[in-house]
Amino acid sequence: MNLVETSIHGVRVIESTAFQDNRGAFSRLFCSQELQTVIGQRVIVQINHSMTHSLGAVRGLHFQNPPHAEMKIVRCLKGRIFDVAVDLRQGSPTFLKWTAIELTPESHLAFVIPEGCAHGFQVLEEGSELLYLHTAFYTPDAEGAIRYDDPSIGVNWPLAPTDLSARDLSHPHLKEDYKGIVL
């Protein structure tokens, strides 16, 4: 596994290698020893899987507030997605900046989204599936989110966003009276 820095401190890309032969392929999705510099003292406590049907569908931009803030490691198991991390850490030199990566099963890449960053994605291929590794349990009372189209952030989604949940459409823009970010 190789770690690649992005333009936002702590947001990294994990490059993995698949071993292939006539039977198929094998790849390591997670190794705490090889990812020690990323994980530190954190422990993966929850693993989630999502499947999104519609091309252009957007999920996010979600995060959890302290003391339940979490690091996520995201991999695409099927399809193709545009995965986004937004820095919400006040005082960070990249505050309100975003970075993104395209994830596919064939790329063998994972996206590391640290505490203090919001996460969202757009489906670039119907029926895309994601695997998420979390360092904190989902805590509804700690949940926060910002709108996918917040002009303060300006995520440049590759497709016209479609198929948003009522919940994601109800998230505020940062310039509104927003109580969700306490990072």
Side-chain angles (χ1 to χ4, degrees):
M1 295 183 162
N2 185 40
L3 294 172
V4 179
E5 296 290 332
T6 69
S7 59
I8 297 177
H9 176 72
V11 177
R12 296 183 181 115
V13 175
I14 301 170
E15 299 174 330
S16 301
T17 303
F19 300 98
Q20 298 184 16
D21 64 20
N22 62 324
R23 299 169 296 171
F26 170 87
S27 62
R28 183 176 293 160
L29 299 181
F30 177 80
C31 176
S32 62
Q33 184 177 17
E34 289 188 49
L35 297 174
Q36 182 61 39
T37 58
V38 171
I39 299 297
Q41 298 302 310
R42 297 175 191 93
V43 175
I44 300 299
V45 298
Q46 188 169 310
I47 300 174
N48 296 326
H49 171 263
S50 72
M51 198 273 286
T52 307
H53 298 288
S54 303
L55 181 68
V58 171
R59 291 183 187 246
L61 300 158
H62 306 139
F63 59 92
Q64 285 199 159
N65 286 300
H68 304 286
E70 63 184 345
M71 172 185 275
K72 294 180 187 176
I73 300 175
V74 182
R75 283 193 182 268
C76 183
L77 300 178
K78 180 182 176 192
R80 186 165 63 105
I81 64 143
F82 180 75
D83 210 22
V84 176
V86 179
D87 189 350
L88 298 177
R89 300 168 290 191
Q90 294 181 17
S92 167
T94 54
F95 181 60
L96 300 184
K97 302 288 185 214
W98 64 275
T99 189
I101 185 171
E102 187 174 297
L103 296 177
T104 67
E106 297 78 21
S107 71
H108 303 286
L109 300 176
F111 205 32
V112 178
I113 299 118
E115 299 88 340
C117 290
H119 172 249
F121 67 89
Q122 183 174 49
V123 172
L124 302 179
E125 189 174 302
E126 290 179 353
S128 291
E129 297 184 32
L130 296 181
L131 181 75
Y132 309 77
L133 287 70
H134 300 263
T135 61
F137 295 106
Y138 172 66
T139 307
D141 292 342
E143 188 174 52
I146 52 177
R147 271 184 64 104
Y148 75 99
D149 62 351
D150 191 311
S152 303
I153 297 165
V155 174
N156 186 19
W157 301 103
L159 303 174
T162 63
D163 201 16
L164 287 117
S165 70
R167 179 176 154 251
D168 281 350
L169 286 170
S170 73
H171 298 316
H173 289 129
L174 291 173
K175 295 203 178 201
E176 294 173 6
D177 182 25
Y178 191 77
K179 302 179 274 306
I181 298 178
V182 295
L183 305 171

PDB file of all heavy atoms in Angstrom, residues 65-83:
ATOM      1  N   ASN A  65     -19.875  15.406  14.298  1.00  0.00           N
ATOM      2  CA  ASN A  65     -19.239  16.380  15.185  1.00  0.00           C
ATOM      3  C   ASN A  65     -18.537  15.685  16.342  1.00  0.00           C
ATOM      4  O   ASN A  65     -18.931  14.594  16.761  1.00  0.00           O
ATOM      5  CB  ASN A  65     -20.296  17.349  15.730  1.00  0.00           C
ATOM      6  CG  ASN A  65     -20.749  18.343  14.690  1.00  0.00           C
ATOM      7  OD1 ASN A  65     -19.949  19.112  14.179  1.00  0.00           O
ATOM      8  ND2 ASN A  65     -22.034  18.321  14.356  1.00  0.00           N
ATOM      9  N   PRO A  66     -17.508  16.341  16.904  1.00  0.00           N
ATOM     10  CA  PRO A  66     -16.868  15.819  18.108  1.00  0.00           C
ATOM     11  C   PRO A  66     -17.873  15.723  19.240  1.00  0.00           C
ATOM     12  O   PRO A  66     -18.815  16.518  19.277  1.00  0.00           O
ATOM     13  CB  PRO A  66     -15.795  16.873  18.427  1.00  0.00           C
ATOM     14  CG  PRO A  66     -15.586  17.615  17.145  1.00  0.00           C
ATOM     15  CD  PRO A  66     -16.891  17.558  16.411  1.00  0.00           C
ATOM     16  N   PRO A  67     -17.727  14.823  20.151  1.00  0.00           N
ATOM     17  CA  PRO A  67     -16.609  13.891  20.301  1.00  0.00           C
ATOM     18  C   PRO A  67     -16.766  12.613  19.477  1.00  0.00           C
ATOM     19  O   PRO A  67     -16.053  11.651  19.697  1.00  0.00           O
ATOM     20  CB  PRO A  67     -16.633  13.566  21.795  1.00  0.00           C
ATOM     21  CG  PRO A  67     -18.097  13.604  22.136  1.00  0.00           C
ATOM     22  CD  PRO A  67     -18.676  14.706  21.273  1.00  0.00           C
ATOM     23  N   HIS A  68     -17.689  12.621  18.515  1.00  0.00           N
ATOM     24  CA  HIS A  68     -17.941  11.430  17.698  1.00  0.00           C
ATOM     25  C   HIS A  68     -17.403  11.579  16.276  1.00  0.00           C
ATOM     26  O   HIS A  68     -17.789  10.818  15.382  1.00  0.00           O
ATOM     27  CB  HIS A  68     -19.438  11.131  17.668  1.00  0.00           C
ATOM     28  CG  HIS A  68     -20.023  10.973  19.027  1.00  0.00           C
ATOM     29  ND1 HIS A  68     -19.814   9.856  19.797  1.00  0.00           N
ATOM     30  CD2 HIS A  68     -20.779  11.815  19.775  1.00  0.00           C
ATOM     31  CE1 HIS A  68     -20.423  10.011  20.964  1.00  0.00           C
ATOM     32  NE2 HIS A  68     -21.011  11.192  20.975  1.00  0.00           N
ATOM     33  N   ALA A  69     -16.516  12.552  16.076  1.00  0.00           N
ATOM     34  CA  ALA A  69     -15.923  12.747  14.748  1.00  0.00           C
ATOM     35  C   ALA A  69     -15.226  11.458  14.328  1.00  0.00           C
ATOM     36  O   ALA A  69     -14.706  10.712  15.161  1.00  0.00           O
ATOM     37  CB  ALA A  69     -14.944  13.907  14.776  1.00  0.00           C
ATOM     38  N   GLU A  70     -15.225  11.229  13.035  1.00  0.00           N
ATOM     39  CA  GLU A  70     -14.687   9.967  12.536  1.00  0.00           C
ATOM     40  C   GLU A  70     -13.779  10.183  11.346  1.00  0.00           C
ATOM     41  O   GLU A  70     -13.935  11.129  10.589  1.00  0.00           O
ATOM     42  CB  GLU A  70     -15.830   9.053  12.102  1.00  0.00           C
ATOM     43  CG  GLU A  70     -16.629   9.637  10.955  1.00  0.00           C
ATOM     44  CD  GLU A  70     -17.834   8.813  10.551  1.00  0.00           C
ATOM     45  OE1 GLU A  70     -17.941   7.642  10.936  1.00  0.00           O
ATOM     46  OE2 GLU A  70     -18.670   9.366   9.818  1.00  0.00           O
ATOM     47  N   MET A  71     -12.832   9.258  11.201  1.00  0.00           N
ATOM     48  CA  MET A  71     -12.082   9.135   9.965  1.00  0.00           C
ATOM     49  C   MET A  71     -12.785   8.058   9.163  1.00  0.00           C
ATOM     50  O   MET A  71     -13.247   7.058   9.713  1.00  0.00           O
ATOM     51  CB  MET A  71     -10.641   8.718  10.236  1.00  0.00           C
ATOM     52  CG  MET A  71      -9.869   8.382   8.955  1.00  0.00           C
ATOM     53  SD  MET A  71      -8.209   7.764   9.300  1.00  0.00           S
ATOM     54  CE  MET A  71      -7.364   9.334   9.460  1.00  0.00           C
ATOM     55  N   LYS A  72     -12.876   8.268   7.842  1.00  0.00           N
ATOM     56  CA  LYS A  72     -13.455   7.265   6.948  1.00  0.00           C
ATOM     57  C   LYS A  72     -12.406   6.864   5.925  1.00  0.00           C
ATOM     58  O   LYS A  72     -11.638   7.699   5.448  1.00  0.00           O
ATOM     59  CB  LYS A  72     -14.633   7.829   6.149  1.00  0.00           C
ATOM     60  CG  LYS A  72     -15.840   8.195   6.924  1.00  0.00           C
ATOM     61  CD  LYS A  72     -16.908   8.733   5.958  1.00  0.00           C
ATOM     62  CE  LYS A  72     -18.089   9.285   6.701  1.00  0.00           C
ATOM     63  NZ  LYS A  72     -19.063   9.892   5.800  1.00  0.00           N
ATOM     64  N   ILE A  73     -12.403   5.604   5.590  1.00  0.00           N
ATOM     65  CA  ILE A  73     -11.641   5.112   4.448  1.00  0.00           C
ATOM     66  C   ILE A  73     -12.681   4.521   3.503  1.00  0.00           C
ATOM     67  O   ILE A  73     -13.450   3.640   3.884  1.00  0.00           O
ATOM     68  CB  ILE A  73     -10.593   4.063   4.856  1.00  0.00           C
ATOM     69  CG1 ILE A  73      -9.601   4.672   5.848  1.00  0.00           C
ATOM     70  CG2 ILE A  73      -9.875   3.520   3.617  1.00  0.00           C
ATOM     71  CD1 ILE A  73      -8.598   3.686   6.413  1.00  0.00           C
ATOM     72  N   VAL A  74     -12.725   5.037   2.277  1.00  0.00           N
ATOM     73  CA  VAL A  74     -13.773   4.677   1.327  1.00  0.00           C
ATOM     74  C   VAL A  74     -13.160   3.990   0.105  1.00  0.00           C
ATOM     75  O   VAL A  74     -12.183   4.483  -0.453  1.00  0.00           O
ATOM     76  CB  VAL A  74     -14.555   5.940   0.877  1.00  0.00           C
ATOM     77  CG1 VAL A  74     -15.682   5.574  -0.067  1.00  0.00           C
ATOM     78  CG2 VAL A  74     -15.084   6.700   2.082  1.00  0.00           C
ATOM     79  N   ARG A  75     -13.770   2.869  -0.282  1.00  0.00           N
ATOM     80  CA  ARG A  75     -13.376   2.131  -1.499  1.00  0.00           C
ATOM     81  C   ARG A  75     -14.613   1.873  -2.340  1.00  0.00           C
ATOM     82  O   ARG A  75     -15.696   1.649  -1.808  1.00  0.00           O
ATOM     83  CB  ARG A  75     -12.753   0.785  -1.159  1.00  0.00           C
ATOM     84  CG  ARG A  75     -11.334   0.882  -0.682  1.00  0.00           C
ATOM     85  CD  ARG A  75     -10.689  -0.505  -0.662  1.00  0.00           C
ATOM     86  NE  ARG A  75      -9.348  -0.417  -0.163  1.00  0.00           N
ATOM     87  CZ  ARG A  75      -8.279  -0.245  -0.936  1.00  0.00           C
ATOM     88  NH1 ARG A  75      -8.400  -0.164  -2.231  1.00  0.00           N
ATOM     89  NH2 ARG A  75      -7.074  -0.175  -0.400  1.00  0.00           N
ATOM     90  N   CYS A  76     -14.429   1.843  -3.643  1.00  0.00           N
ATOM     91  CA  CYS A  76     -15.504   1.491  -4.563  1.00  0.00           C
ATOM     92  C   CYS A  76     -15.369   0.005  -4.890  1.00  0.00           C
ATOM     93  O   CYS A  76     -14.318  -0.443  -5.345  1.00  0.00           O
ATOM     94  CB  CYS A  76     -15.399   2.330  -5.835  1.00  0.00           C
ATOM     95  SG  CYS A  76     -16.723   2.033  -7.019  1.00  0.00           S
ATOM     96  N   LEU A  77     -16.430  -0.748  -4.626  1.00  0.00           N
ATOM     97  CA  LEU A  77     -16.431  -2.184  -4.893  1.00  0.00           C
ATOM     98  C   LEU A  77     -17.016  -2.530  -6.252  1.00  0.00           C
ATOM     99  O   LEU A  77     -16.719  -3.579  -6.821  1.00  0.00           O
ATOM    100  CB  LEU A  77     -17.230  -2.917  -3.811  1.00  0.00           C
ATOM    101  CG  LEU A  77     -16.732  -2.775  -2.385  1.00  0.00           C
ATOM    102  CD1 LEU A  77     -17.664  -3.518  -1.440  1.00  0.00           C
ATOM    103  CD2 LEU A  77     -15.307  -3.273  -2.264  1.00  0.00           C
ATOM    104  N   LYS A  78     -17.881  -1.642  -6.750  1.00  0.00           N
ATOM    105  CA  LYS A  78     -18.538  -1.880  -8.031  1.00  0.00           C
ATOM    106  C   LYS A  78     -18.908  -0.537  -8.633  1.00  0.00           C
ATOM    107  O   LYS A  78     -19.374   0.359  -7.917  1.00  0.00           O
ATOM    108  CB  LYS A  78     -19.796  -2.728  -7.838  1.00  0.00           C
ATOM    109  CG  LYS A  78     -20.547  -3.023  -9.111  1.00  0.00           C
ATOM    110  CD  LYS A  78     -21.804  -3.824  -8.825  1.00  0.00           C
ATOM    111  CE  LYS A  78     -22.590  -4.023 -10.115  1.00  0.00           C
ATOM    112  NZ  LYS A  78     -23.928  -4.542  -9.840  1.00  0.00           N
ATOM    113  N   GLY A  79     -18.702  -0.369  -9.924  1.00  0.00           N
ATOM    114  CA  GLY A  79     -19.097   0.854 -10.598  1.00  0.00           C
ATOM    115  C   GLY A  79     -18.001   1.896 -10.609  1.00  0.00           C
ATOM    116  O   GLY A  79     -16.810   1.579 -10.645  1.00  0.00           O
ATOM    117  N   ARG A  80     -18.419   3.162 -10.525  1.00  0.00           N
ATOM    118  CA  ARG A  80     -17.473   4.278 -10.598  1.00  0.00           C
ATOM    119  C   ARG A  80     -18.097   5.466  -9.883  1.00  0.00           C
ATOM    120  O   ARG A  80     -19.262   5.791 -10.110  1.00  0.00           O
ATOM    121  CB  ARG A  80     -17.218   4.601 -12.065  1.00  0.00           C
ATOM    122  CG  ARG A  80     -16.166   5.615 -12.339  1.00  0.00           C
ATOM    123  CD  ARG A  80     -15.750   5.586 -13.813  1.00  0.00           C
ATOM    124  NE  ARG A  80     -16.836   5.941 -14.697  1.00  0.00           N
ATOM    125  CZ  ARG A  80     -16.945   7.120 -15.335  1.00  0.00           C
ATOM    126  NH1 ARG A  80     -16.030   8.047 -15.170  1.00  0.00           N
ATOM    127  NH2 ARG A  80     -17.970   7.357 -16.112  1.00  0.00           N
ATOM    128  N   ILE A  81     -17.318   6.101  -9.012  1.00  0.00           N
ATOM    129  CA  ILE A  81     -17.828   7.253  -8.266  1.00  0.00           C
ATOM    130  C   ILE A  81     -16.817   8.392  -8.251  1.00  0.00           C
ATOM    131  O   ILE A  81     -15.615   8.190  -8.406  1.00  0.00           O
ATOM    132  CB  ILE A  81     -18.213   6.895  -6.810  1.00  0.00           C
ATOM    133  CG1 ILE A  81     -16.993   6.458  -6.009  1.00  0.00           C
ATOM    134  CG2 ILE A  81     -19.294   5.852  -6.762  1.00  0.00           C
ATOM    135  CD1 ILE A  81     -17.048   6.943  -4.607  1.00  0.00           C
ATOM    136  N   PHE A  82     -17.339   9.591  -8.049  1.00  0.00           N
ATOM    137  CA  PHE A  82     -16.559  10.805  -7.834  1.00  0.00           C
ATOM    138  C   PHE A  82     -16.677  11.086  -6.346  1.00  0.00           C
ATOM    139  O   PHE A  82     -17.743  11.447  -5.854  1.00  0.00           O
ATOM    140  CB  PHE A  82     -17.170  11.934  -8.677  1.00  0.00           C
ATOM    141  CG  PHE A  82     -16.485  13.262  -8.572  1.00  0.00           C
ATOM    142  CD1 PHE A  82     -15.268  13.479  -9.213  1.00  0.00           C
ATOM    143  CD2 PHE A  82     -17.071  14.318  -7.891  1.00  0.00           C
ATOM    144  CE1 PHE A  82     -14.652  14.723  -9.159  1.00  0.00           C
ATOM    145  CE2 PHE A  82     -16.470  15.556  -7.829  1.00  0.00           C
ATOM    146  CZ  PHE A  82     -15.247  15.756  -8.468  1.00  0.00           C
ATOM    147  N   ASP A  83     -15.602  10.861  -5.598  1.00  0.00           N
ATOM    148  CA  ASP A  83     -15.618  10.945  -4.133  1.00  0.00           C
ATOM    149  C   ASP A  83     -15.008  12.269  -3.687  1.00  0.00           C
ATOM    150  O   ASP A  83     -13.928  12.649  -4.155  1.00  0.00           O
ATOM    151  CB  ASP A  83     -14.840   9.769  -3.552  1.00  0.00           C
ATOM    152  CG  ASP A  83     -15.341   9.336  -2.196  1.00  0.00           C
ATOM    153  OD1 ASP A  83     -16.511   9.623  -1.868  1.00  0.00           O
ATOM    154  OD2 ASP A  83     -14.582   8.695  -1.464  1.00  0.00           O
TER     155      ASP A  83
END
